Amino acid sequence: MRLILSHENADFDAVASQLAASKLTPDGQMLLSRRLNRNVEQFLTLYWDAFHFIRPSDWRKRRIDQVLLVDTQSLNSVRGMVARPKVHVIDHHTEQTPPEEWTAQVEPVGATTTMLVERLQGQGVNLAPEEATLLLLGIYEDTGSLTYDTTTARDAAAAAWLLDEGAILAVVRRFLNIPLSAEQQALYDALHTAVSWHDVQGQSIVVTGAVAPENFTDEIASITHRLRESLQPAGLFVLVQLDHDVQLVARSTTKAVDVAAVARTFGGGGHSRAAAARIKDQPLARVEPQVVAALSQAIEPLVRVADLMSHGVQTVPPETLVREAAVLMQRFGYEGYPVVTEPDGELVGLLTRRAVDRAMNHAMADDPIERIMKTGAVTVRPSDAIDTVQQKMLSDGWGQIPVLAEDGSATRPIGIVTRTDLLNHLFQPPSKTAETNMRQRLLAMLPSVLWQMVLAVSETAAQLNLPLYFVGGLVRDLLLDKPPTDLDMVVEGDAIKLGKMLAQRFGGEIRSHKRFGTAKWLLDEAVWGNILQRDKKKEIGDWRLEIAHFQSPISNLPPTIDFVTARTEFYTEPTALPEVAHGSIKLDLHRRDFAINTLAVRLDGAFLGQLLDFYGGQQDLADGVIRVLHSLSFVDDPTRILRAVRLEQRLKFHIEPRTLELIKDALPLLDRVSGARIRHEIELTLHEAEPTAALSRLSELDVLAHIDEGLVWLPETAVFFQRVPKFWQERPWCDWLTDETPLFTYFALWLAALPEADQRGVMKRLRVRKATKTDVLACGRLRREWVTLPATLKPSEVVKLMRPFPVRVLLVGRILLAGQSAASLIERYLAEWRGVKTAVTGDTLRQMGLKPGPQFGVLLEKLLAARLDGTVTTEAEELALLDELIRE
């Protein structure tokens, strides 16, 4: 037999879920819980005949081997239940985990009833008005009539369908808001009198407790609801002494307060907005302090201005002309500028884009901005809560609020928080990706000595109050479990100042570029030694770090670290190189190409390991997509098209549809990009581990044809490319190619398949260097002319033929002519014949009294040919042949 069960103190969601489950499984019997909430009891009393519930008092013992458990994951004992029944759970409490032997459907919706109503709707089940009303009560009670943050679109859709099925809202209102009984009112008054307020992480929490009247049997949930409506706290914890036990009922009005976390501490459960626990054999006086002590577990850390603000704020002086401000806003896209006097740095107002636009329309372009700015000094501190920012924006009408130093030592802003920052925080949907512990990931992925360097730089940046970051590809690769290859960092502030302080502390040389705000720290062995000889323990913020002692030699370490000041950029026209200016980390990330390259990890002091993801990069990594950051990105810089394909193929991702559309639209602009810039991107593509995939994709997207009409990718070239790696990994080729890279090999193999006219046209378009052009054309000739070389050529003939070509050209010939006699001749030339020399030299000829001239070369060449072909093998035979040649 199958029973449909739910939890004790059953609310409308529990009972409604039982009803819906019974309509989906007609063989199931609905056994009510022993205790029902009073409003549920009153509803069932009135409408009992419309349903087929069984009360516990009417239950007759029967064998129960199957249980459908709804709105709970706790199974209560029932007479007749076998020791291990087959249990299936349908629930919306995702923070709980059912036993492994059970089956379960647990989904993040506002009410369990919603999940079952969706199945009823899908199966076309018709409902009576009473049934639809009970189901709607289940959804409305658990979602606060669709107002709680846990409410989903699925809940609203299910409620809408139930209204179509005849649910009666008047009945819903009546049973969601029934008056308290006399005993409940007395308990309510006692609890209201005992209220204590607690400020935890900026959240207002109420804890209250009282002893229930004698023989109290009503539910406490409705009392808790009334207290919440009356007091309006962020979190409410109600404690009621019931005989020897204490009943905890908790409610939350904000996602920042998870009351279930506290309930679980006392063996209870629930979800973030509603939870309960029964604390056995404990007096109220002992339990209440324990609940207060556990409150910190329920509160998310308060979000403060420091978490949202951008550092390095740009300001304008009051005497700036309106037209000058308009140019700044157009270039950088800012909606406003703090107005600060110079040189004393006093904040005197805020200039908004709206004011500038209106002034320009009113012919005030040459007026100073002090005539149109908002006057005053509305500011916040880094430690202020975002609620403070929100209140000031509403009361003062400032969409950008400057941030002053915490200690009040200066009036010049150190940062700014904008309306966009606030809205993104309040309304951005939570990421589907799990929170990543980047500090632990850095520790695991970086070699120990590099981790020590990160700690040293982090410590120094914190002392200078300079936010410091890893950004872009380095962070992307860390999240993909790929170790970083460098330690270059972005500084929100003065990168040169940080570099100089590091050199002062640990040695080394700093090379800086003041105009661009960059510093290169040159590292030698002494610097690394100083890094490793720091104290064995260093404290960074409130995090204690163990510094290991290293005995291993220092090797394979980066010779430099670059520190770059965070910047923004703007394009004066399509395809032009950008102009740059100092900016915040948010602006620095905003200027990048693809969302997966906009991730940053903060490194300074206590912030070490904080992941910044303003543009959804982490989600794109999880989804495996390449998504361009701005719709004009490829217009600004068409070379990003080649980078998109390179990243797509390297990471085995896919370019998302909208980005593909933007690529197609921007293809004609490639014609306006300089050949050198395109050649650089092609060279980076050829440096990839698998360049074939990227070049094939570029051809598929019609990118190559828009670079040059003669540039094509042929399937046969892919076969040649596959042969390249082994020559760079196996001897003797890797010895012969010591001073080369595979770059030329790939490039020449690619172009060798093209007609010579197309080769010349492509290399002219790409501004290829003269030496490269000569060698590429030579590879093409080798392919055409050596394909018929006979294997019977004398060694001297082979040497004369091949000697003019560098090894890199011969390698390309070897790959192109695989299977031909020329391929083996090339290898024999390099291995056997290239190094053959004559015993007779020019000095020998001079000592014999011969006059230097062209004949020297002729004689030595004939002697070398004889050596190569084996007609002479000793110095004496060479001299004899020389005498004969001289006589002739």
Side-chain angles (χ1 to χ4, degrees), residues 104-173:
Q105 178 189 357
V106 182
E107 298 177 8
V109 291
T112 300
T113 305
T114 294
M115 300 162 59
L116 292 156
V117 166
E118 289 174 336
R119 292 170 62 180
L120 292 172
Q121 184 179 8
Q123 295 183 20
V125 176
N126 294 320
L127 300 176
E130 296 87 351
E131 293 173 329
T133 301
L134 176 54
L135 297 176
L136 188 59
L137 278 163
I139 295 175
Y140 269 30
E141 186 174 60
D142 253 33
T143 64
S145 300
L146 305 178
T147 63
Y148 293 164
D149 287 346
T150 51
T151 305
T152 68
R154 293 171 60 184
D155 299 298
W161 182 73
L162 292 171
L163 288 172
D164 283 341
E165 288 294 302
I168 305 170
L169 285 174
V171 176
V172 172
R173 285 195 301 271

